[in-house]
Amino acid sequence: YETLDSASPRDFADKITIVIDTLRATSTIVTAINNGCKEIIPVSEVEEALSLAQNLDRDTYLLGGERNGVLIEGFDLSNSPLEYTSDVVKGKTIILTTTNGTKAIKKASSAKEIIICSMLNVKAVADYLNEVKMDAVILCAGTEGKGTRKFSLEDVITVGAVISRIDGADIDDLSYASLLLYRENRHDLHNLMQNCFHYKYLISIGYKDDVDFCLQEDIFDILPKYYNGTIKG
Ligand code: MLT
């Protein structure tokens, strides 16, 4: 397994790609799928989301996502997984745009298979990798900070949680570093994260409950996949 903090399309060819954005895009996607939404359409830009919505019946879809971590004007939901409850999302198409996460998913489009991973479904992802025994790339979405995209510790911790569940994995150094970091800190992730950029930012704008939720390990046994422009469970 290779873990990538940034990547070009050729890195994914013929490989399974696992996309991780622990805080919070892939946690939101996994939660929405678990709670019975019909599908999620990830898009990069707000304008794309709005124009896609124009072609759908108003009662069939929800617009979700964030910019700077908060609700986008005119959207139904922010990027808080706690808003994606079953009474809200059941049977709905969700058009989602986030700063880094949905872009990372789209970036992996040339991969053989694209799996959406968060701490919440880490065992389901590892079980699948153990079963298929294929080359895999793990793509960490990272976080936008001061105008550039940055490495995020919360993504790397989720990589470690996946890798720790793979039998006899042949891994690169970033995957190995992720594994060591996870093993050392798995019992107190909040202590590890307390100085992390996006963790601190989300708490500062009132999303402590989201952070607590997203750092729960293996609570959903689902394996969302991105195929043909949509994510389904
Ligand atoms: C992103 O895609 O950059 C994140 O999910 C941001 C967030 O925490 O909402």
Side-chain angles (χ1 to χ4, degrees):
Y1 300 93
E2 291 168 77
T3 299
L4 304 176
D5 183 45
S6 65
S8 69
R10 69 172 193 284
D11 295 316
F12 310 118
D14 296 326
K15 290 178 184 147
I16 294 180
T17 298
I18 314 296
V19 182
I20 296 177
D21 184 2
T22 308
L23 297 177
R24 297 165 289 174
T26 58
S27 302
T28 296
I29 292 168
V30 165
T31 303
I33 298 276
N34 183 71
N35 289 344
C37 75
K38 180 179 167 213
E39 60 187 354
I40 295 174
I41 305 177
V43 298
S44 301
E45 305 302 333
V46 173
E47 298 69 31
E48 263 178 282
L50 293 171
S51 77
L52 251 181
Q54 279 178 353
N55 302 321
L56 300 174
D57 287 341
R58 189 60 191 97
D59 58 350
T60 63
Y61 72 86
L62 294 165
L63 281 165
E66 56 67 42
R67 286 298 180 269
N68 300 316
V70 298
L71 181 73
I72 299 163
E73 201 185 325
F75 274 43
D76 303 301
L77 302 168
S78 78
N79 190 32
S80 166
L82 299 177
E83 292 175 24
Y84 292 69
T85 54
S86 49
D87 53 325
V88 173
V89 303
K90 204 165 206 82
K92 303 270 188 187
T93 293
I94 296 165
I95 305 169
L96 188 73
T97 180
T98 71
T99 309
N100 304 282
T102 57
K103 291 188 182 75
I105 294 166
K106 304 224 55 147
K107 203 170 182 179
S109 289
S110 61
K112 189 180 174 70
E113 240 181 298
I114 301 166
I115 312 279
I116 309 300
C117 179
S118 65
M119 222 20 153
L120 308 173
N121 67 330
V122 81
K123 182 173 178 297
V125 173
D127 286 351
Y128 182 68
L129 293 175
N130 278 324
E131 186 191 314
V132 294
K133 295 189 177 17
M134 282 181 56
D135 278 355
V137 170
I138 304 175
L139 178 62
C140 298
T143 299
E144 194 170 81
K146 298 194 178 127
T148 53
R149 209 188 54 82
K150 303 264 190 193
F151 170 95
S152 272
L153 203 63
E154 64 270 12
D155 293 340
V156 163
I157 277 294
T158 302
V159 174
V162 174
I163 302 269
S164 72
R165 293 172 162 87
I166 308 279
D167 313 323
D170 178 12
I171 54 177
D172 71 357
D173 285 9
L174 183 51
S175 305
Y176 185 51
S178 309
L179 178 63
L180 296 180
L181 203 64
Y182 167 74
R183 278 192 188 142
E184 190 66 23
N185 295 282
R186 55 178 300 198
H187 297 300
D188 197 355
L189 293 180
H190 289 274
N191 185 43
L192 173 71
M193 303 282 178
Q194 63 184 321
N195 292 315
C196 291
F197 175 82
H198 196 54
Y199 177 96
K200 284 195 300 188
Y201 177 68
L202 286 175
I203 290 176
S204 77
I205 61 170
Y207 283 122
K208 168 85 169 71
D209 289 350
D210 277 25
V211 167
D212 291 345
F213 181 81
C214 294
L215 293 183
Q216 297 176 99
E217 200 168 329
D218 181 31
I219 60 165
F220 298 139
D221 185 20
I222 55 163
L223 191 72
K225 291 188 186 178
Y226 176 62
Y227 178 71
N228 254 349
T230 67
I231 301 167
K232 291 187 174 161

